[in-house]
Amino acid sequence: MPQLALTDAFVRGAKSVTGKLVEWNDTKERGLSLRVTPAGVKSWTFRYRDATGDRKRISLGRLDDVPLYDARAAAAVERAKIHTGIDPATAKRQAKTKAAAVLQAPTVAEIAERYFREAPRGRHKPNGREKRGGTLEVERYYYDRLIEPEFGKDRIGELTRSRIQSFVNDVVDEHAPTTARQCRVVLQAIFTFAVWQEDVDRNPCQFVAVPRLKARERVLTDDELRAVWIGFAEASDIEKVHVGRSVALAVMIAATTLQRRAEVTGMRKIEIDLGARTWTIPGERTKNHLTHVVPLSDLALRLIKEALQLSGNGPCVFPSPRDPERSILPTALSHAWRRLVPHLKLQAGTPTIRPHDLRRTGGTLLTSERIGIPRFVLSKVLNHISDAGGGAAVTAIYDRNAYLPEKRRALDAWAALLTEIVELQTRAANVVRISA
């Protein structure tokens, strides 16, 4: 093979005068050669010896795409790899194989469908616990609304941390930090499943940053609590506010029972015992996975009976308009809240009011001097497990009716105080305070 110091002019005019493949070695960059086919196609090649002494070569691209200067730089890069123990031909073949695997990999949408199909059975991660239907409904809501339109058609191995971070940042700006956090949670779960199933070898959601949520301490004043209650009680009469009576009742029941919105919206008729005046939330629907018995005050009972009359013949107290066999999502309460709160009769400059503020307000008033229940009883009402009252934690698993009388007195007193606040009445003396 002829050798010479290649120039731009030479490589542009080089031809195969013999009618055969011709190759010129560059004397300025060892191993670099210009190849010219009989048809006039010009390309760059790099020749070298691997660690065993075998001769090998790799293509560096066509002259049309890679000029002489870039070809010399590419040859220098490949030679540097050899000095570090890397075989350029092997590395290129592996990269090509990996790229082909990425193109053949399932899409994000395909992995997501498998995840949502396996999660209810606990087969979404090693030693996984069955995911609750309510949790999956919320995850599905954020996936369908935001994640699938953005990433659904992408191959699972193509997503990078920077792209997911950019998506999360856009969600923060266009929606809310809490929405961004939920999207990251769903993507993290899907990619954890994909890594476990060996569809991808890394989880790009790791180290994706979302705004830190600040601990909220908002407790409503009597006037604010009255405005919220009356607003939802009369929502159907407020012009341009579309809040169904069933959803309004769910908010009012959440305020009366002090239970979480997902537990309220997911309420099923089989859980309600009107005779015993109790609502038994099964462990698969509670945050701590323990069955929780909620005593029903007269106020709560009246609201639930009205909701039952509106619920139809299905199993849910708050059925979805699209599927009577399924409950509405907790987000339905949040949407109703956003539509209604701006129309409430509140003083100018009133701080933001959120749905969970009702639960915090009720809990705060229960332990205040206005009612005065012990914090331990409050933890039982709210179904917190941080306070076991000195008993063994395992006892709570078997004793479903633990502290039922104390919880009933507490919620009856709360209903009386709530009625007093809303209707500006005075409670009976026997429900003013509960002794420890």
Side-chain angles (χ1 to χ4, degrees):
M1 288 182 289
Q3 299 187 16
L4 70 158
L6 297 177
T7 64
D8 288 329
F10 178 83
V11 299
R12 284 197 302 268
K15 297 179 181 179
S16 175
V17 295
T18 63
K20 298 180 180 180
L21 177 67
V22 180
E23 191 169 327
W24 285 275
N25 291 341
D26 183 25
T27 58
K28 287 192 174 182
E29 189 62 54
R30 181 164 51 89
L32 178 65
S33 300
L34 174 68
R35 292 162 61 91
V36 183
T37 68
V41 178
K42 302 173 185 179
S43 61
W44 300 105
T45 188
F46 176 69
R47 294 182 180 276
Y48 67 98
R49 290 181 183 272
D50 64 12
T52 63
D54 292 339
R55 291 180 178 273
K56 292 185 176 181
R57 74 176 182 86
I58 60 171
S59 173
L60 300 179
R62 291 191 174 189
L63 176 62
D64 293 340
D65 302 321
V66 184
L68 174 59
Y69 178 85
D70 291 343
R72 283 173 171 161
V77 170
E78 298 303 329
R79 184 178 299 105
K81 291 179 182 178
I82 297 171
H83 293 320
T84 59
I86 298 174
D87 184 341
T90 301
K92 189 173 183 178
R93 185 169 58 253
Q94 290 174 342
K96 187 175 181 179
T97 300
K98 185 175 181 180
V102 169
L103 293 176
Q104 296 173 0
T107 63
V108 173
E110 291 169 341
I111 293 294
E113 291 305 319
R114 285 166 48 195
Y115 164 77
F116 284 117
R117 186 170 60 249
E118 298 295 348
R121 310 172 196 177
R123 299 201 299 237
H124 57 293
K125 63 180 179 179
N127 302 317
R129 175 185 287 171
E130 296 177 357
K131 274 208 169 184
R132 306 172 195 164
T135 300
L136 287 171
E137 286 181 351
V138 173
E139 290 185 356
R140 188 85 207 203
Y141 170 80
Y142 287 102
Y143 173 79
D144 290 342
R145 180 184 173 203
L146 297 170
I147 297 173
E148 198 279 334
E150 180 72 21
F151 299 124
K153 296 180 180 179
D154 290 295
R155 299 292 173 181
I156 192 71
E158 293 178 334
L159 261 63
T160 62
R161 182 184 302 124
S162 62
R163 187 174 171 198
I164 295 175
Q165 183 67 70
S166 178
F167 164 73
V168 168
N169 293 344
D170 289 344
V171 173
V172 171
D173 296 337
E174 297 173 13
H175 299 275
T178 52
T179 303
R181 293 182 68 88
Q182 289 288 353
C183 287
R184 189 190 67 167
V185 167
V186 177
L187 280 168
Q188 175 79 21
I190 291 173
F191 270 97
T192 297
F193 174 73
V195 171
W196 183 44
Q197 294 295 304
E198 298 183 329
D199 290 303
V200 67
D201 57 5
R202 61 184 178 81
N203 188 337
C205 296
Q206 189 176 17
F207 304 122
V208 169
V210 294
R212 185 184 298 274
L213 294 180
K214 297 179 181 179
R216 190 169 170 84
E217 300 179 354
R218 181 84 159 89
V219 175
L220 306 188
T221 65
D222 285 6
D223 288 342
E224 292 168 345
L225 187 56
R226 183 183 306 110
V228 170
W229 184 273
I230 294 176
F232 278 98
E234 301 176 355
S236 58
D237 298 329
I238 302 178
E239 187 177 357
K240 297 181 180 180
V241 173
H242 303 288
V243 176
R245 180 59 179 171
S246 181
V247 173
L249 286 169
V251 174
M252 297 166 74
I253 291 170
T256 307
T257 63
L258 301 182
Q259 303 310 303
R260 298 177 178 90
R261 59 175 185 161
E263 295 166 350
V264 174
T265 57
M267 184 186 295
R268 301 179 76 82
K269 295 176 181 178
I270 196 173
E271 299 171 2
I272 304 298
D273 188 333
L274 297 177
R277 302 166 61 88
T278 58
W279 166 30
T280 302
I281 311 175
E284 58 265 23
R285 292 209 311 107
T286 62
K287 188 174 181 179
N288 58 19
H289 301 281
L290 297 178
T291 298
H292 179 44
V293 180
V294 182
L296 299 176
S297 62
D298 290 342
L299 177 58
L301 206 60
R302 186 174 76 247
L303 295 170
I304 289 175
K305 285 181 178 179
E306 183 179 351
L308 288 170
Q309 291 175 352
L310 299 173
S311 64
N313 298 322
C316 305
V317 177
F318 302 104
S320 167
R322 297 183 180 87
D323 183 0
E325 298 297 312
R326 301 168 69 90
S327 298
I328 60 174
L329 293 176
T331 50
L333 271 60
S334 299
H335 296 328
W337 193 273
R338 283 195 293 269
R339 289 193 292 267
L340 180 63
V341 168
H343 298 271
L344 298 181
K345 297 178 180 179
L346 298 170
Q347 293 182 352
T350 297
T352 303
I353 302 176
R354 297 177 182 172
H356 197 73
D357 295 342
L358 294 175
R359 178 173 159 94
R360 187 184 306 106
T361 298
T364 301
L365 292 178
L366 275 174
T367 57
S368 72
E369 291 183 346
R370 299 175 74 173
I371 297 179
I373 73 162
R375 290 189 65 184
F376 168 67
V377 175
L378 174 63
S379 73
K380 297 301 180 182
V381 170
L382 301 179
N383 198 24
H384 289 167
I385 59 174
S386 57
D387 189 346
V394 70
T395 305
I397 298 176
Y398 295 97
D399 187 4
R400 294 184 177 180
N401 292 313
Y403 298 92
L404 185 59
E406 290 83 357
K407 291 192 294 184
R408 186 177 297 282
R409 287 196 293 271
L411 286 173
D412 283 346
W414 164 238
L417 177 57
L418 182 58
T419 300
E420 173 191 334
I421 292 171
V422 172
E423 300 180 359
L424 296 176
Q425 294 178 351
T426 302
R427 289 168 292 160
N430 65 333
V431 295
V432 171
R433 184 177 179 83
I434 299 177
S435 59

